[in-house]
Amino acid sequence: MGKSIRTTSNTQTTTSSTPATFKAGDSVLCPSLSNSPFVLINDPYGKRNNLALEFEGSYFYYDGNGYFVRASQNETDDFQPSLYQNTPANQQAINTLYSGNQSNQRKVIDTTKADDDEVILISSHDLSHIACDIQGAINVIDDTGYLLGLIHYRKRG
């Protein structure tokens, strides 16, 4: 059986399952900050064993695999890399994100009726947060009911 080629949109342009590794001096893209490339440097303060990039006067730290490392940590707790190799294909994909011309890539789910004259668009990310908030409220109400039940039956017994 031949080798399979991994093709996912969240990794570097590569034909193997090995994640990209980074070192000081590499030109990288960080779509969460900008669509412009950055050059990685070693920690300018010499206190961390991480790579850094400077953006708007602040340093952001990453491990050698491109994962973001918070200032309060020495290693990452991220699940996705934040850095990508500065290749023409990656630059084009990030420019598309920043241009807002993604309508041909979006799947629209329209559940409106013919007589609806107002529509609210909400991202799936926001919808997920709302669902989590509702679940949290349900848990609080359930716990409150349980507590009131305990208080009620304790006084009767």
Side-chain angles (χ1 to χ4, degrees), residues 127-145:
L127 188 59
S128 174
H129 279 276
I130 291 168
C132 288
D133 290 344
I134 290 171
Q135 180 64 41
I138 290 169
N139 288 339
V140 168
I141 292 169
D142 185 53
D143 291 346
T144 303

Side-chain angles (χ1 to χ4, degrees), residues 76-96:
T76 189
D77 61 359
D78 274 2
F79 300 103
Q80 292 283 97
S82 299
L83 299 180
Y84 300 89
Q85 293 174 344
N86 187 8
T87 64
N90 287 345
Q91 183 69 64
Q92 181 180 4
I94 292 168
N95 287 342
T96 300

Side-chain angles (χ1 to χ4, degrees), residues 37-140:
F38 298 93
V39 176
L40 288 175
I41 59 174
N42 289 317
D43 178 13
Y45 304 110
K47 296 180 180 181
R48 305 175 75 158
N49 191 21
N50 295 117
L51 298 167
L53 62 84
E54 190 268 332
F55 178 70
E56 295 182 352
S58 297
Y59 290 103
F60 295 84
Y61 294 93
Y62 301 88
D63 67 12
N65 292 322
Y67 289 83
F68 177 68
V69 181
R70 299 183 199 301
S72 61
Q73 298 173 325
N74 291 324
E75 58 186 54
T76 189
D77 61 359
D78 274 2
F79 300 103
Q80 292 283 97
S82 299
L83 299 180
Y84 300 89
Q85 293 174 344
N86 187 8
T87 64
N90 287 345
Q91 183 69 64
Q92 181 180 4
I94 292 168
N95 287 342
T96 300
L97 289 172
Y98 273 85
S99 71
N101 294 331
Q102 307 154 10
S103 58
N104 61 344
Q105 299 173 6
R106 291 183 181 164
K107 179 179 179 182
V108 176
I109 302 170
D110 187 356
T111 60
T112 59
K113 304 245 189 280
D115 61 345
D116 289 343
D117 60 356
E118 291 185 22
V119 177
I120 298 173
L121 296 178
I122 186 167
S123 73
S124 60
H125 182 69
D126 289 341
L127 188 59
S128 174
H129 279 276
I130 291 168
C132 288
D133 290 344
I134 290 171
Q135 180 64 41
I138 290 169
N139 288 339
V140 168

